[in-house]
Amino acid sequence: MQHAMLGSLRVSRIGLGAMTMADTYTSGGGLDDAESIRAIHRVPDLGVTHINTAEPCDPFHSEEIGA
């Protein structure tokens, strides 16, 4: 995984967006919190240091499953 400096923070160039984990972009298939949790727990092993759980993604759902 490549990283870049963001101010004084070293961050991965690829991040994980949590919008689909919060029913923002689903196509009728519904949510799978267990699969989302597996993804959140797996990405650090791959070198990803940025997980985007911004509030517009469905306030607090993606934060709750990632905790």
Side-chain angles (χ1 to χ4, degrees), residues 6-62:
L6 182 61
S8 62
L9 298 174
R10 183 174 180 265
V11 297
S12 57
R13 290 189 179 258
I14 296 174
L16 174 66
M19 251 181 166
T20 57
M21 298 177 189
D23 203 22
T24 304
Y25 286 125
T26 58
S27 59
L31 296 177
D32 185 345
D33 286 347
E35 184 66 24
S36 297
I37 290 167
R38 281 192 292 278
I40 290 168
H41 286 240
R42 175 72 172 118
V43 295
D45 297 336
L46 301 173
V48 173
T49 60
H50 176 214
I51 300 174
N52 180 2
T53 61
E55 190 171 327
C57 298
D58 184 10
F60 312 113
H61 182 78
S62 53

